[in-house]
Amino acid sequence: MAEEDGEERESLVKTDSMESRWVYQFDDESEIGVDDDDEEDDGDDSGSKNGENSEDEEDVVTHRLIRTGPRVDSFDVEALEVPGTHRHDFESYLQEFGAWRDIVLIFQTLGFVFGDVGTSQLYTFSVMFDKAPIKGKEDVLGALSLVLYTLILIPLIKYILVVLWANDDGEGGTFALYSLICRHARVSLIPNQLPSDARISSFRLKVPSPELERSLKIKERLENSLGLKKLLLMLVLAGTSMVIADGIVTPAMSVMSAVDGLKVGISAIKHEEVVMVAVALLILLFSLQRYGTSKMGFIVGPALFIWFCCLAGIGIHNLLKYDRDVWKAFNPIHIYFYFKRNNIEAWYALGGCLLCATGSEAMFADLCYFSVRSVQLTFVFLVFPCLLLGYLGQAAYLMQNPGDCAQAFYSSVPSGAFWPVFIIANIAALIASRDMTTATFSCIKQSTALGCFPRLKIIHTSRKFMGQIYIPVLNWFLLAASVVLVCSVPSITEIGNSYGIAELGVMMMTTILVTLVMLLIWQINIVTVVAFLVVFMGIELTFFSSVIWFVGDGSWIILLFAVVMFLMMCVWNYGSKLKYETEVKQKMSMDLLRQLGPNLGTIRAPGIGLVYNELVRGIPAIFGHFITTLPAIHSMIIFVCIKYVPVSMVPQNERFLFRRVCSKSYHMFRCIARYGYKDVRKETHQIFEQLLIDSLEKFIRREAQERSLESDGDGDDYTDYEEESFSNFLVAQNGSAFSLGVPLLTDFNDTNVRISEPSTSAGMKPDTPSDTSDPEQSLERELSFIHQAKESGVVYLLGHGDIRARKDSWFLKKLVVNYFYAFLRKNSRRGTANLSVPHSHLMQVGMTYMV
């Protein structure tokens, strides 16, 4: 559909399930029916009906693009709205400010998006001229020309005009690009994708275009090549590790460069004292991080607006007072002259020049609640002109005072305005650091949802805006790493080298991923794609060749952090993939369940058991441990899989997928609860249970309606489902007797009484053929059964599956699986921790897989 995202969000619940859209249809798509689940042994397929997908289809490549008609997906059952989890579009929220809306929007955009790019004025020229000292006015013009065209090419053209459009439903960052690609091609290494995921309204694909054939070829090549999948994941993990490194070096660089102005204002101050002040500000910064961005939003916005006005004002003052000839720097010939005069030193200075573009990636990662157009307009008409005036003013001052290049910014500030500007600069540095830290939190949450980072405790700091999060462990890790960097690296120049490496690492990964988005999703002209890749990758590699030369001067610390994060994510993804594949291979056979019968070979006690597992298909092997270890199993079993799909948000009415497991008499269901990587799971276990039961009832009613239409009033189909053996019963070791033919069982304490017929508990009667001949009566009986089971209580059956390498495995595999992955898994947060389930409702069984 050609609807705009902003128009969609208000009507997702009402219209998305009814509108037609283009989707990929797989040739083996079959019905998500109500018959036996996961027929991996039988090999029989149910017929296609209503365009629904079977959750046990095999992975195939053959597909075609079709346009679906208006329909309601019977597998996407409606669920109640969860209080506090509805998505509020930020710009819709701003409507309540009325005539002041545009002003508030500008302030908020500045505070959320442009903090990092605005503070680059503090250190860019200082680092550049430390590597290539000023020998004349032409050097100032050449350096300024480099800065101007770097600003034009990277922040303006690449990010503002191109990359921002590659957002994933308003979300930016490395993993947002990866999820966008995963949504259009099966490139995830964990094989838990279902064709039914493509029915999510946020999952819509592009309408066919003349470039579609090329796109499908690229898609097929990616899906069929394990090497390309791994390469793509490695690029994404490398980019994410650089984002984390950026989250370390940005606070260190911004705060240290801002505090370094004390050397200009107080000539007697020592470097060690400046470092102590910087460390104190870093501790303050990370201590306030837990209060969230929204609580500080109306403070940081005006503060950054004042900062940008200061940059423009100081720039105009210096232009008028010192030298207006700096406008000549817009002629790129001065770049040529600069390199001709300085040779190798000019190449060294490229690492400092890159710092003017720091914050470009943060603009993309912090896109969040603002439309692309609002960010573009704010940058083009406010931020960019202020940045240009600021750099022009510094260059004009240095034309007359080249000896002050070590503190180019603070030296160019008029003496009467020094201390107010110093205070504003420090506030802006704290805001810029805060923005980058928040972007790091967002990136980690996305990578966790897509199975590439260990689960951590995530706190949502805003009741209104779902993307504002705080990760305590990561917050204190970033603080410790930033303090180590500030204390161990002696100068701004060396920290700037680290900053350049981190920024370039993310930029290059973004360039590659956006190129793939252009080919696979945007489907634009190949010449445009090649031009984008060659131009920007060439520029970034040139900058990278400069900063990597100084890796031994302190930049190795940041590279070390990045490598550690990269290896940790690789280990976690590798272990998670092994665990999932092993669980798939060892899942229980449906034939075994049929042989056990509706009683599952044990006692069915009243209540509902929610069996948590990660499988989207099949019965987990750990369920076998439950029925063999526990003295009884619940009368109703629901296999719950919390699945994160590669979309930012899943509408609440499309959250749950249900399906029967085996026939009706087993009272077993599968539920897949789908969440996007930006979805908030703040519901309590009571709310989650109510959502689940309500959705299950709606599924059963819809199932009954469909079968009623199919059978045309004939109830024969139901008879097969309700057939049970009424001649078998079980006598336990303590003498209690239990019926094997009904789900709810009652014990008989009188062991001397002969049992001649099956008995039931709670007044429940077994279904009989006469009962099931009437579909309406059968429906009411099943709904009543669910209500009684719910009243008996809900228990969470958690299976903790661990993996160990086989004895004959390679040493490296044993080291990775048995030690590194085991350590990460032991110290990560459990998947069901967000539900806050009381211990009295929990039952846990452990299982170890040999891989």
Side-chain angles (χ1 to χ4, degrees):
M1 298 296 293
E3 301 174 6
E4 295 292 335
D5 287 345
E7 297 174 356
E8 286 179 4
R9 289 173 182 164
E10 298 298 327
S11 57
L12 279 176
V13 175
K14 298 179 182 178
T15 63
D16 278 341
S17 61
M18 294 300 296
E19 59 182 282
S20 61
R21 54 184 179 268
W22 291 92
V23 299
Y24 285 110
Q25 184 187 57
F26 296 84
D27 286 348
D28 67 336
E29 276 191 5
S30 55
E31 170 194 1
I32 294 182
V34 295
D35 295 337
D36 296 343
D37 189 25
D38 303 294
E39 304 273 353
E40 69 270 14
D41 298 323
D42 292 353
D44 54 333
D45 298 327
S46 56
S48 178
K49 178 182 66 176
N50 294 336
E52 299 167 354
N53 311 344
S54 172
E55 68 177 80
D56 43 280
E57 63 272 297
E58 300 294 331
D59 293 334
V60 294
V61 177
T62 307
H63 50 263
R64 61 182 182 274
L65 198 64
I66 63 169
R67 189 182 183 96
T68 62
R71 53 180 289 280
V72 177
D73 192 341
S74 64
F75 212 7
D76 289 339
V77 295
E78 296 179 358
L80 296 177
E81 288 289 338
V82 181
T85 62
H86 183 67
R87 176 169 184 168
H88 291 254
D89 183 77
F90 190 84
E91 294 188 37
S92 299
Y93 168 73
L94 290 175
Q95 295 289 349
E96 61 188 64
F97 290 96
W100 296 91
R101 174 186 177 278
D102 293 336
I103 296 176
V104 173
L105 180 60
I106 291 173
F107 283 162
Q108 290 295 318
T109 306
L110 288 173
F112 279 86
V113 180
F114 298 113
D116 198 5
V117 73
T119 55
S120 60
Q121 299 261 338
L122 294 170
Y123 41 76
T124 299
F125 277 140
S126 298
V127 176
M128 284 188 72
F129 293 128
D130 181 75
K131 297 179 179 181
I134 300 176
K135 301 173 183 176
K137 291 185 177 181
E138 286 296 326
D139 288 339
V140 177
L141 282 178
L144 176 61
S145 186
L146 265 177
V147 169
L148 294 179
Y149 280 97
T150 301
L151 276 175
I152 292 171
L153 288 172
I154 296 181
L156 180 61
I157 296 179
K158 178 186 173 182
Y159 280 91
I160 292 297
L161 299 183
V162 180
V163 174
L164 288 186
W165 291 110
N167 66 85
D168 184 24
D169 192 24
E171 307 296 341
T174 306
F175 262 94
L177 289 171
Y178 183 60
S179 71
L180 195 62
I181 295 169
C182 287
R183 193 155 75 244
H184 291 78
R186 297 183 183 184
V187 295
S188 175
L189 291 180
I190 298 180
N192 65 346
Q193 300 94 348
L194 292 173
S196 55
D197 294 338
R199 304 294 186 184
I200 301 174
S201 54
S202 305
F203 212 122
R204 76 183 66 244
L205 304 179
K206 188 177 178 70
V207 175
S209 70
E211 306 293 335
L212 181 60
E213 184 178 354
R214 185 187 68 209
S215 174
L216 289 177
K217 288 181 179 179
I218 295 173
K219 176 179 183 292
E220 184 174 344
R221 181 70 182 273
L222 283 173
E223 293 179 344
N224 293 336
S225 174
L226 180 61
L228 288 178
K229 289 181 181 180
K230 290 182 178 180
L231 177 61
L232 179 62
L233 180 63
M234 292 301 104
L235 291 175
V236 173
L237 296 185
T240 304
S241 65
M242 287 297 181
V243 170
I244 300 173
D246 211 355
I248 295 171
V249 73
T250 297
M253 185 67 178
S254 299
V255 173
M256 190 65 190
S257 60
V259 175
D260 207 44
L262 288 173
K263 295 179 179 179
V264 177
I266 306 175
S267 57
I269 196 169
K270 298 180 180 179
H271 178 74
E272 291 77 12
E273 295 172 339
V274 173
V275 171
M276 291 177 62
V277 175
V279 170
L281 286 179
L282 286 173
I283 294 174
L284 176 65
L285 166 68
F286 285 98
S287 298
L288 295 175
Q289 192 71 38
R290 63 190 179 93
Y291 292 107
T293 305
S294 63
K295 297 180 179 64
M296 309 289 290
F298 290 96
I299 300 175
V300 301
L304 275 180
F305 180 76
I306 294 173
W307 169 247
F308 281 109
C309 289
C310 285
L311 295 180
I314 295 171
I316 294 172
H317 171 270
N318 290 336
L319 281 171
L320 296 176
K321 182 177 180 180
Y322 294 106
D323 197 330
R324 302 180 187 180
D325 290 340
V326 292
W327 292 103
K328 296 177 181 178
F330 281 100
N331 186 348
I333 194 64
H334 290 285
I335 298 177
Y336 169 75
F337 292 147
Y338 182 69
F339 277 91
K340 184 178 180 180
R341 284 190 307 274
N342 294 279
N343 297 322
I344 192 68
E345 289 181 345
W347 177 64
Y348 290 158
L350 284 177
C353 177
L354 172 71
L355 297 180
C356 72
T358 56
S360 300
E361 189 66 32
M363 289 191 301
F364 181 44
D366 288 330
L367 184 60
C368 200
Y369 299 102
F370 304 96
S371 68
V372 173
R373 188 65 67 190
S374 66
V375 174
Q376 290 175 329
L377 292 176
T378 304
F379 183 85
V380 171
F381 293 106
L382 176 61
V383 175
F384 189 64
C386 291
L387 292 177
L388 292 182
L389 288 172
Y391 285 116
L392 288 168
Q394 287 187 52
Y397 175 83
L398 292 175
M399 294 280 276
Q400 303 297 328
N401 305 277
D404 292 336
C405 61
Q407 289 285 349
F409 174 76
Y410 282 114
S411 298
S412 67
V413 177
S415 57
F418 176 82
W419 289 110
V421 171
F422 175 81
I423 294 173
I424 293 296
N426 278 269
I427 295 174
L430 292 175
I431 294 171
S433 304
R434 182 184 182 84
D435 290 348
M436 191 62 229
T437 305
T438 303
T440 306
F441 291 161
S442 177
C443 187
I444 293 301
K445 183 178 185 296
Q446 295 173 17
S447 61
T448 301
L450 296 179
C452 296
F453 202 90
R455 288 185 290 266
L456 301 174
K457 181 179 180 180
I458 297 176
I459 298 174
H460 299 270
T461 59
S462 174
R463 294 179 179 272
K464 294 181 179 180
F465 309 116
M466 298 168 70
Q468 297 179 14
I469 60 175
Y470 169 68
I471 305 177
V473 173
L474 186 62
N475 183 70
W476 301 121
F477 169 78
L478 293 177
L479 170 61
S482 297
V483 170
V484 168
L485 184 63
V486 167
C487 295
S488 60
V489 179
S491 70
I492 293 294
T493 300
E494 294 181 8
I495 299 178
N497 294 333
S498 303
Y499 204 179
I501 289 177
E503 280 286 328
L504 279 170
V506 184
M507 286 180 179
M508 289 190 292
M509 297 307 107
T510 299
T511 300
I512 295 172
L513 293 176
V514 170
T515 301
L516 191 54
V517 169
M518 288 179 170
L519 292 170
L520 184 65
I521 303 169
W522 292 355
Q523 302 168 12
I524 61 179
N525 189 278
I526 191 66
V527 175
T528 305
V529 177
V530 172
F532 174 84
L533 179 63
V534 170
V535 170
F536 291 106
M537 185 57 72
I539 293 173
E540 288 156 5
L541 286 175
T542 302
F543 280 119
F544 190 74
S545 67
S546 174
V547 296
I548 202 66
W549 188 261
F550 298 94
V551 69
D553 295 339
S555 302
W556 63 269
I557 298 178
I558 285 301
L559 284 179
L560 179 62
F561 278 124
V563 169
V564 170
M565 290 295 105
F566 175 77
L567 292 177
M568 185 182 71
M569 288 186 288
C570 288
V571 167
W572 181 261
N573 185 264
Y574 174 72
S576 300
K577 178 177 176 289
L578 278 182
K579 180 176 178 292
Y580 188 87
E581 290 177 344
T582 305
E583 288 180 341
V584 170
K585 292 177 182 178
Q586 298 186 16
K587 62 185 179 182
M588 290 184 64
S589 168
M590 293 303 300
D591 286 341
L592 177 59
L593 283 182
R594 296 189 188 98
Q595 292 173 9
L596 292 174
N599 65 301
L600 300 178
T602 184
I603 303 167
R604 301 296 293 268
I608 298 177
L610 300 182
V611 182
Y612 274 77
N613 67 103
E614 297 179 2
L615 294 184
V616 295
R617 305 183 184 95
I619 307 300
I622 206 162
F623 182 65
H625 279 248
F626 278 115
I627 61 179
T628 56
T629 304
L630 303 179
I633 200 71
H634 298 81
S635 58
M636 175 172 287
I637 297 294
I638 303 177
F639 297 97
V640 180
C641 173
I642 304 294
K643 179 185 177 183
Y644 285 92
V645 291
V647 297
S648 58
M649 312 285 292
V650 176
Q652 187 62 44
N653 67 315
E654 301 178 24
R655 175 82 65 212
F656 296 99
L657 300 180
F658 271 94
R659 180 172 180 182
R660 285 192 188 276
V661 177
C662 296
S663 61
K664 269 191 176 183
S665 58
Y666 282 73
H667 296 285
M668 296 169 64
F669 300 87
R670 174 184 316 288
C671 171
I672 300 177
R674 302 179 296 183
Y675 291 85
Y677 57 78
K678 281 289 186 179
D679 274 322
V680 178
R681 291 179 56 199
K682 296 177 66 175
E683 64 264 27
T684 63
H685 72 96
Q686 296 98 334
I687 295 177
F688 185 81
E689 291 167 11
Q690 190 61 48
L691 284 170
L692 198 83
I693 299 303
D694 291 345
S695 300
L696 176 60
E697 290 181 4
K698 292 178 181 180
F699 163 75
I700 291 174
R701 292 183 186 276
R702 185 168 298 159
E703 170 197 83
Q705 292 174 357
E706 292 177 354
R707 290 200 170 274
S708 177
L709 292 174
E710 286 180 357
S711 60
D712 222 4
D714 187 0
D716 293 341
D717 291 340
Y718 285 85
T719 304
D720 293 335
Y721 285 110
E722 300 297 325
E723 286 180 357
E724 295 179 0
S725 172
F726 298 101
S727 60
N728 297 325
F729 61 91
L730 173 69
V731 179
Q733 293 179 354
N734 64 356
S736 300
F738 302 88
S739 167
L740 301 183
V742 293
L744 294 179
L745 304 156
T746 303
D747 53 38
F748 284 77
N749 295 323
D750 186 357
T751 59
N752 297 321
V753 178
R754 176 179 176 82
I755 307 300
S756 57
E757 61 181 6
S759 57
T760 63
S761 65
M764 289 293 297
K765 297 180 180 180
D767 294 336
T768 62
S770 61
D771 293 334
T772 59
S773 61
D774 184 359
E776 292 186 4
Q777 186 177 3
S778 176
L779 172 63
E780 294 304 320
R781 284 179 57 80
E782 186 166 18
L783 295 178
S784 176
F785 179 88
I786 293 175
H787 293 158
Q788 293 191 33
K790 175 68 166 61
E791 292 173 0
S792 298
V794 178
V795 175
Y796 292 74
L797 306 177
L798 306 183
H800 299 302
D802 294 321
I803 59 173
R804 300 281 295 179
R806 299 180 185 275
K807 292 184 179 180
D808 58 348
S809 301
W810 291 92
F811 170 77
L812 183 59
K813 182 177 181 180
K814 290 181 180 179
L815 184 66
V816 169
V817 173
N818 296 348
Y819 295 97
F820 295 154
Y821 178 73
F823 174 80
L824 293 175
R825 187 168 177 82
K826 181 180 179 180
N827 292 278
S828 65
R829 190 171 173 84
R830 295 292 183 183
T832 54
N834 289 341
L835 293 178
S836 303
V837 181
H839 291 292
S840 59
H841 291 194
L842 278 177
M843 193 174 295
Q844 305 183 51
V845 171
M847 184 174 182
T848 301
Y849 301 101
M850 302 304 295
V851 297

